Amino acid sequence: MTGATLLLNATYEPLCVVSSRRAVVLVLAAKAETVDVTDDEVHAERITLAVPIVVRLTRYVRVPYPVQVPLSRRAVFTRDGSTCVYCGGSATSIDHVVPRSRGGTHSWDNVVAACRRCNHTKADRSLAEMGWSLPHPPRAPSGAAWRLLGHRTVDPRWREWLGMPDSVSA
C-alpha cells in the first residue's frame, strides 16, 4: 500500500496529497470518509476496506495557502508543456526572456522553456534584438492543482476533484 491519496476538505476543496496508509487510518478513525476507491483492498481481522484514492475530511479545516507557486525548472517545463516557446520543439533548458545580465529577474514572468538551439542562439540578447516574439507572456501558474502538486504527476482519478480538464497536467 504505497499509493497516494487526494485529501479533500469537508467542503470538497483539495487540501493535500497523503499516503494511502494515512488515508486508511483517517477513514478508520472516522476523521474522513471515502469518496473514491481503487480496486485494492486492505484486510484486517474483522474488516476489509477498499484503498481510497480520494477522501474527504468530516470536519472543516482552515489552511492558509502560499501566495505563489515555487519556481523550479521542472515546474517551468510543466507549465510550458515541455515545448520550446520560440520554435515549438522539445524543450531541454530554461531561458530568461530578459537576460539576467541585463537586469532580468529569475521569476515566473521572465522564465520560459526553450530548446538548447534557441537558447544558445538567443544567448544574452533581448527578443527585440532577435526579432522574436512570444506566443503569450509567461506568468505564474495558478489553481488548486499547482498549489497542491507543483511538479508531481496528477493521478487521472483526481482530475474531477482538482477542477482540471482531462488534457491538462499539473
Side-chain angles (χ1 to χ4, degrees):
M1 190 169 51
T2 60
T5 301
L6 179 65
L7 180 65
L8 305 175
N9 210 340
T11 58
Y12 290 93
E13 175 188 15
L15 285 179
C16 64
V17 178
V18 297
S19 68
S20 295
R21 180 184 176 121
R22 177 72 178 137
V24 167
V25 169
L26 287 171
V27 170
L28 290 175
K31 293 183 179 184
E33 61 184 29
T34 303
V35 176
D36 197 4
V37 295
T38 64
D39 295 334
D40 299 329
E41 292 180 335
V42 176
H43 300 279
E45 184 180 0
R46 296 184 184 144
I47 190 170
T48 299
L49 182 69
V51 176
I53 194 71
V54 179
V55 294
R56 182 180 75 94
L57 293 175
T58 54
R59 299 181 74 180
Y60 180 78
V61 175
R62 185 175 178 273
V63 179
Y65 289 109
V67 176
Q68 196 172 18
V69 177
L71 177 62
S72 70
R73 177 184 174 91
R74 192 168 181 184
V76 170
F77 284 144
T78 302
R79 179 197 66 185
D80 294 341
S82 294
T83 58
C84 176
V85 296
Y86 303 123
C87 71
S90 179
T92 56
S93 64
I94 61 171
D95 181 54
H96 292 86
V97 179
V98 176
R100 294 185 80 178
S101 63
R102 296 190 176 190
T105 60
H106 186 67
S107 61
W108 278 109
D109 57 350
N110 192 43
V111 177
V112 295
C115 67
R116 191 171 306 277
R117 184 172 156 258
C118 289
N119 199 355
H120 183 70
T121 302
K122 181 178 171 287
D124 68 341
R125 295 183 288 235
S126 69
L127 292 178
E129 291 173 348
M130 295 296 297
W132 293 358
S133 64
L134 293 173
H136 49 81
R139 61 179 179 82
S142 60
W146 281 99
R147 278 197 316 262
L148 298 174
L149 308 172
H151 60 271
R152 178 186 288 183
T153 55
V154 177
D155 188 313
R157 297 169 286 194
W158 297 347
R159 291 187 184 277
E160 69 177 286
W161 306 107
L162 294 174
M164 297 173 61
D166 290 338
S167 63
V168 176
S169 65

